[in-house]
Amino acid sequence: MFDAKKLLDQFLGSQIPGVGGSVRNRAGDAVQLAKDNPWKAGALATVLLGTKTGRNIAGNAIAIGGLAAIAGLGYQAYKNYQAGQAPATPSDAPPPSTPVLLPAPADSGFGPASPAGSNEFALVLIRAMIAAAKADGHIDDAERAHVMDKMRAADVSGEAASFIERELASPTDLDALVAAATTEEQRVELYTASRLTIEPDSRAERGYLDLLAGRLGLADALVDHIEATVSSAKVSLSR
């Protein structure tokens, strides 16, 4: 088994081909990379970097790792939901500076020692992110080849590259994804990772996320909190 946690870090921007520097600079360079190499909306690397909508994951996601970033966002949303707080709305003023992503507490059910912190579940999250990236149905053979070229340029090879290629080419098995999330925390993280991958600006993408939330059995209010938390963790690259 390859290191799924490392691959998840790569998905969240730690190894963008030809890009270096700070998180904010890396995000800006990624947008330029997408402009210079225009892919359709479903192309994996473009979607996972958020460049489709000019956004990237804020804070120190690279420093704490992709799995910890997803867990931290999921934990924050779940905590606010349980506390009965109202989720933030799109009209709320943006924070004055880039928010810092914090890892979930070790005993929260989202921490690294929990089932949601295992290498096996990191693999499930990658499957979920690829499924979300394919939700608009626009990845064809040529685009898969292009994505794989970019993955290899990011030093993704061997078993990990073969895994991505298989997932891109195979129909999404939603039953298997849902069954792999056996705890409430895992279900929250699976939806969080999927929502991080895409901005649901098409009916197909919004429909996929709604179907996923329903199949995971997530309460509408909890989904609203995840949506608000993920949105707040994405910063406009024009700022």
Side-chain angles (χ1 to χ4, degrees):
M1 170 65 69
F2 59 89
D3 189 340
K5 293 182 181 180
K6 178 182 177 181
L7 184 58
L8 192 55
D9 290 343
Q10 291 171 310
F11 272 12
L12 291 177
S14 61
Q15 294 189 33
I16 303 171
V19 176
S22 68
V23 174
R24 186 175 291 274
N25 288 341
R26 182 182 290 111
D29 288 345
V31 169
Q32 187 59 50
L33 184 66
K35 290 178 180 177
D36 294 341
N37 301 273
W39 302 347
K40 291 185 180 178
L44 180 63
T46 299
V47 173
L48 294 180
L49 293 174
T51 54
K52 175 181 165 186
T53 55
R55 292 174 179 268
N56 194 32
I57 298 173
N60 57 334
I62 293 169
I64 68 174
L67 185 59
I70 292 170
L73 290 170
Y75 167 74
Q76 186 63 44
Y78 193 61
K79 181 179 70 171
N80 292 342
Y81 163 70
Q82 287 192 315
Q85 297 181 17
T89 65
S91 61
D92 290 343
S97 60
T98 301
V100 175
L101 301 181
L102 298 176
D107 60 351
S108 65
F110 292 87
S114 71
S118 67
N119 191 71
E120 289 76 12
F121 192 65
L123 195 66
V124 173
L125 293 179
I126 294 170
R127 283 195 170 101
M129 295 173 84
I130 293 175
K134 296 190 298 183
D136 61 5
H138 288 164
I139 297 183
D140 57 22
D141 291 342
E143 286 168 326
R144 283 200 298 271
H146 198 175
V147 169
M148 293 313 302
D149 285 344
K150 293 298 180 183
M151 291 294 101
R152 282 186 280 270
D155 199 27
V156 178
S157 59
E159 189 179 356
S162 297
F163 165 78
I164 294 173
E165 195 161 21
R166 286 195 305 272
E167 290 297 311
L168 283 170
S170 302
T172 296
D173 188 345
L174 193 58
D175 290 338
L177 279 179
V178 170
T182 59
T183 68
E184 184 77 353
E185 293 83 3
Q186 286 180 325
R187 290 188 282 273
V188 168
E189 287 194 35
L190 197 152
Y191 186 86
T192 299
S194 301
R195 179 59 181 82
L196 273 172
T197 305
I198 54 176
E199 289 296 319
D201 51 8
S202 73
R203 288 185 178 181
E205 290 165 327
R206 182 70 265 166
Y208 175 77
L209 289 174
D210 289 345
L211 175 62
L212 179 62
R215 291 291 304 276
L216 290 169
L218 300 179
D220 289 347
L222 176 54
V223 172
D224 290 343
H225 274 286
I226 297 172
E227 293 278 342
T229 302
V230 168
S231 293
S232 70
K234 291 185 176 184
V235 292
S236 172
L237 300 180
S238 61
R239 280 201 270 153

